[in-house]
Amino acid sequence: MGFPIPQYIANVLVEIGDNLEFQKLNQVIFSVIKQKIPSKSDEEVWDYAEQYEGDIAKELFIKTNDNRIDGITLNFNIIEEDDGFYIKFLETPEILLLRRLQGDTSDNFEIFCKKILDKLGGKSSVEGGTDDGGIDFTAYDLKLHNLPFLSTKGSRIFLIGQAKRYKDGNHVKEKEVKYFIGCSVQRIEEIKKTRAEQFGIFQPIILAFWTTSDFHVDAKNAARDFGIWYLSGIALCQLAIQLGVEY
């Protein structure tokens, strides 16, 4: 078994890094890889950490910018000094909540997603199960921001979602995002045929893909290209806390 790519290691660092004071990045890389790939010798891991420290730091700076674009509050701080890179992590409420979600069942995670949609004013339901057709939760009558409650049907949003309760390091892949899109298109057609009184032809629709881990770069790019509301575990927990969702 070889070593993962730097982008993957950067994601895992953000997910499980726990040093609350600045520490040299190569030391943190070493510690994380030893947790994830214990079969590797110390020498192999140190060689990797020293060789790819700059690439992993680059990915972390990219992640910093991406998080700002996505409206996510950073849970880490990385700086560059004359003798290399240093990183520390923040013990924020969303990290503590995320750890609880990762240790819970998939069914309870789907219910948690439903609670978020309830807080957003939607009429939501959990669709998950062995025969869910690739859809885990839905919501209708989601209102546009600041729109009065009394509004026409066409101004209310219908949402279809996928919930993936993954452990740290098990990141959503591009094929999972595309599979979800295919399932959503099929479900939308079914709903518009069977519940035409609720959903018009041009009804606003949102596709949401929420996870307790993170997204591979290709998966994130696909989600952006298709306009999917994608949320990593940290982003999802930040949203839940802002909304006052109880868990």
Side-chain angles (χ1 to χ4, degrees):
M1 179 181 178
F3 285 96
I5 62 174
Q7 190 264 346
Y8 173 85
I9 295 296
N11 280 347
V12 175
L13 285 177
V14 173
E15 290 171 351
I16 70 174
D18 59 3
N19 52 289
L20 303 181
E21 301 295 333
F22 276 112
Q23 188 175 344
K24 292 206 71 172
L25 178 60
N26 58 6
Q27 295 174 352
V28 179
I29 294 169
F30 175 86
S31 176
V32 167
I33 293 179
K34 288 298 289 184
Q35 289 183 53
K36 289 295 180 182
I37 319 177
S39 60
K40 295 291 185 182
S41 69
D42 288 359
E43 183 179 1
E44 288 177 306
V45 176
W46 270 121
D47 286 345
Y48 176 89
E50 292 177 353
Q51 181 178 355
Y52 290 100
E53 178 186 17
D55 293 325
I56 294 170
K58 179 181 177 181
E59 294 294 340
L60 288 167
F61 283 118
I62 291 173
K63 197 170 186 67
T64 298
N65 185 60
D66 283 350
N67 282 1
R68 291 196 177 106
I69 293 173
D70 293 338
I72 302 171
T73 302
L74 293 174
N75 70 314
F76 68 95
N77 188 9
I78 181 171
I79 59 175
E80 183 177 8
E81 300 288 352
D82 292 339
D83 60 341
F85 299 95
Y86 288 79
I87 190 169
K88 72 174 180 178
F89 300 92
L90 310 175
E91 194 175 47
T92 56
E94 59 266 22
I95 295 298
L96 301 177
L97 174 58
L98 179 58
R99 295 290 173 259
R100 293 171 60 197
L101 287 172
Q102 289 173 330
D104 208 337
T105 65
S106 295
D107 289 345
N108 284 341
F109 178 53
E110 291 168 8
I111 293 171
F112 180 78
C113 294
K114 176 187 182 302
K115 289 181 178 180
I116 290 176
L117 294 171
D118 290 340
K119 281 288 188 178
L120 291 171
K123 299 174 183 177
S124 61
S125 62
V126 173
E127 308 284 331
T130 56
D131 192 29
D132 62 12
I135 306 300
D136 291 324
F137 55 87
T138 60
Y140 63 96
D141 277 2
L142 284 166
K143 296 183 290 295
L144 297 173
H145 183 58
N146 290 333
L147 191 70
F149 180 77
L150 295 176
S151 55
T152 63
K153 177 179 68 175
S155 67
R156 300 173 192 172
I157 300 167
F158 176 57
L159 181 144
I160 294 179
Q162 174 74 200
K164 290 293 186 184
R165 187 196 61 82
Y166 284 162
K167 297 289 187 181
D168 292 325
N170 186 11
H171 299 154
V172 175
K173 300 177 179 61
E174 181 184 13
K175 66 179 181 180
E176 293 178 280
V177 172
K178 291 185 175 179
Y179 175 73
F180 166 62
I181 293 170
C183 292
S184 298
V185 170
Q186 183 177 351
R187 180 63 62 87
I188 291 166
E189 289 301 313
E190 293 173 357
I191 289 174
K192 286 188 174 181
K193 288 178 182 178
T194 59
R195 297 161 68 181
E197 74 283 356
Q198 284 182 302
F199 304 103
I201 295 175
F202 297 111
Q203 191 82 24
I205 296 172
I206 290 177
L207 271 59
F209 200 120
W210 299 349
T211 181
T212 55
S213 63
D214 209 331
F215 294 80
H216 280 283
V217 63
D218 291 340
K220 182 176 288 188
N221 289 338
R224 285 175 173 170
D225 290 343
F226 284 103
I228 292 174
W229 184 13
Y230 64 93
L231 289 175
S232 67
I234 292 173
L236 182 67
C237 290
Q238 287 180 357
L239 174 61
I241 290 171
Q242 290 168 8
L243 293 173
V245 174
E246 294 184 0
Y247 173 69

